[in-house]
Amino acid sequence: MIGLNQAAENRKFFIGENFIQARAPRSGKVMDPRINYKLQKDLD
């Protein structure tokens, strides 16, 4: 998990194989599952 400084409001990101996903700042859990906060690498 990567955390950014206060200028980025302490946002956290989970880095997985071929994707990065924004996580809740305090808990590190997946944010609102109804909204896609995941960037997926295009394997084409």
Side-chain angles (χ1 to χ4, degrees):
M1 179 119 21
I2 294 176
L4 301 178
N5 63 19
Q6 288 181 334
E9 300 176 8
N10 293 319
R11 295 175 198 248
K12 292 186 178 177
F13 297 90
F14 177 79
I15 309 298
E17 189 170 331
N18 298 319
F19 75 93
I20 183 170
Q21 186 175 48
R23 296 289 178 101
R26 292 194 176 168
S27 68
K29 295 182 180 181
V30 175
M31 295 174 71
D32 187 342
R34 298 171 291 171
I35 301 173
N36 186 3
Y37 287 99
K38 186 176 183 178
L39 295 175
Q40 189 90 24
K41 181 180 179 182
D42 187 0
L43 300 176
D44 290 336

